Amino acid sequence: MRYDRDMPETIPSSPNPGLRVGFLLARNFTLSAFANFVDMLRLSADEGDRSRPIRARWSVLAHDMAPIRSSSGVTVSPQERPGDPQRFDYIVVVGGLIDEGGTLPREHTDFLHAAAAAGVPLVGLCTGAFLLHRAGLMQGYRCCVSWFHHGDFLEQFDGLVPVSDRIFVVDRDRLTCSGGASSAHLAAWLVERHLGRSVALKSLHIMIIEEAMQADEPQPGLPSELHSADPLVRRAILHMQQSLGLAPPVSRIAEGLGVGRRKLERHFARALGMSPAEAFLRLRLDHVRFLLSSSAHSVTRIAAETGFCDASHLIHTFRDREGTTPEAWRKARREADAAA
């Protein structure tokens, strides 16, 4: 399967579009992050859904002009070589799979350094922040990564703590986002800045996105406070985070990891000083607090989403840990936020 963004020669384009964007796609890049961002540009560039690059223009860049494969297997054909970065208002790096995205080609890293030296802002989508850091272009900057990759970032960049509780971060001439739908919201932020709020809202509405989300909107998940260098423990925590609503027993988690329950318990005791069951409960209660503070969901719905038998089970467990009920905790949190 293949996706080409080459524009037919008959499509008119403005000689001076209000927004010009160049894309560098990592090997095995995340297609949704790229597609959400570029579709915001496409819809903002013209009236309605006609796709003419009038108010905005974009281009996929590659030094060798070879098709670039996404993590889903869909390939994208570059349109031009990097060249002079100053012909763009932004250079966007789209990251992909942590283990397979690796680094950018030297030619692309050199291009990004030239862009930074010329004052062209750099944007990292999804794990694009990893690539920018690895290229030495994020020193002194805050960056956003998905809560899902928070632990990976801490492991790869010792001493650097990313922002994983909001959907995107703008720090001077570095813009980073957690990927997925947040790419559309970061693109909408840029469109509003360069082309106007009405253009940004129109494009979001065509994409069936109700309203623009600001940078400080929380991600639908939280980074874990449980960190370990033990690979087995890290894999188990990730498995738990992906199974909050199911709350499988520890024996099933161990089976899914290909180890025995006793071995998993020994690793958790050595790495975290607690059992896997206690760690799993902490992760679930962390997500309960997140949902209480960031949504209007009922306690019954939150209980179902975090693996508790019912609302009564959640209330009992929550009161044991917090000394109050979920609704009382929510009310106190909102009053504190309002006072702040």
Side-chain angles (χ1 to χ4, degrees), residues 63-339:
H63 73 286
D64 58 3
M65 298 300 289
I68 308 158
R69 186 183 186 276
S70 70
S71 59
S72 65
V74 175
T75 60
V76 172
S77 295
Q79 294 157 277
E80 54 185 306
R81 291 181 169 83
D84 180 7
Q86 294 186 77
R87 70 188 190 277
F88 299 108
D89 298 305
Y90 298 89
I91 305 297
V92 178
V93 178
V94 186
L97 299 179
I98 290 289
D99 297 331
E100 299 179 30
T103 58
L104 293 169
R106 179 183 57 80
E107 293 85 352
H108 291 181
T109 300
D110 291 344
F111 174 71
L112 289 170
H113 277 276
V120 180
L122 304 179
V123 181
L125 304 186
C126 192
T127 59
F130 285 70
L131 298 174
L132 290 173
H133 257 300
R134 199 167 289 119
L137 291 162
M138 292 297 293
Q139 292 90 339
Y141 288 94
R142 295 164 63 244
C143 76
C144 177
V145 302
S146 166
W147 66 271
F148 191 77
H149 295 305
H150 185 87
D152 296 304
F153 192 95
L154 293 176
E155 184 179 78
Q156 294 188 28
F157 304 106
D158 186 38
L160 296 173
V161 179
V163 176
S164 299
D165 60 355
R166 59 185 61 189
I167 61 171
F168 65 85
V169 168
V170 177
D171 187 355
R172 293 160 289 164
D173 54 355
R174 298 291 187 274
L175 302 85
T176 49
C177 80
S178 52
S182 71
S183 300
H185 291 289
L186 177 54
W189 187 89
L190 290 179
V191 168
E192 179 175 344
R193 183 182 183 191
H194 290 267
L195 305 178
R197 180 169 176 77
S198 62
V199 176
L201 290 177
K202 179 265 293 187
S203 302
L204 286 170
H205 292 163
I206 294 175
M207 294 178 69
I208 320 299
I209 298 175
E210 186 174 356
E211 60 182 349
M213 295 173 66
Q214 299 305 305
D216 57 359
E217 288 285 337
Q219 294 183 27
L222 287 175
S224 170
E225 296 299 324
L226 303 176
H227 302 304
S228 171
D230 185 317
L232 179 60
V233 172
R234 290 185 66 246
R235 286 173 57 214
I237 289 174
L238 182 59
H239 187 94
M240 292 171 181
Q241 288 175 318
Q242 295 173 326
S243 309
L244 292 177
L246 302 174
V250 173
S251 58
R252 191 177 304 165
I253 294 173
E255 182 182 350
L257 296 171
V259 299
R261 175 171 180 158
R262 293 290 180 87
K263 179 176 181 178
L264 187 63
E265 289 173 341
R266 288 197 301 272
H267 277 255
F268 267 79
R270 185 166 57 245
L272 299 175
M274 66 181 71
S275 68
E278 170 64 19
F280 199 10
L281 180 58
R282 290 195 186 191
L283 291 172
R284 290 160 62 204
L285 288 173
D286 281 346
H287 199 57
V288 168
R289 286 186 286 269
F290 169 74
L291 293 173
L292 287 170
S293 62
S294 64
S295 76
H297 295 345
S298 67
V299 173
T300 299
R301 177 172 173 178
I302 292 174
E305 290 185 12
T306 51
F308 290 90
C309 298
D310 51 33
S312 297
H313 183 205
L314 171 56
I315 292 169
H316 176 76
T317 305
F318 196 89
R319 185 189 287 117
D320 282 348
R321 295 300 179 108
E322 298 289 340
T324 187
T325 65
E327 284 294 0
W329 187 93
R330 170 185 270 167
K331 181 180 179 182
R333 177 62 179 267
R334 289 179 175 175
E335 289 173 351
D337 289 345

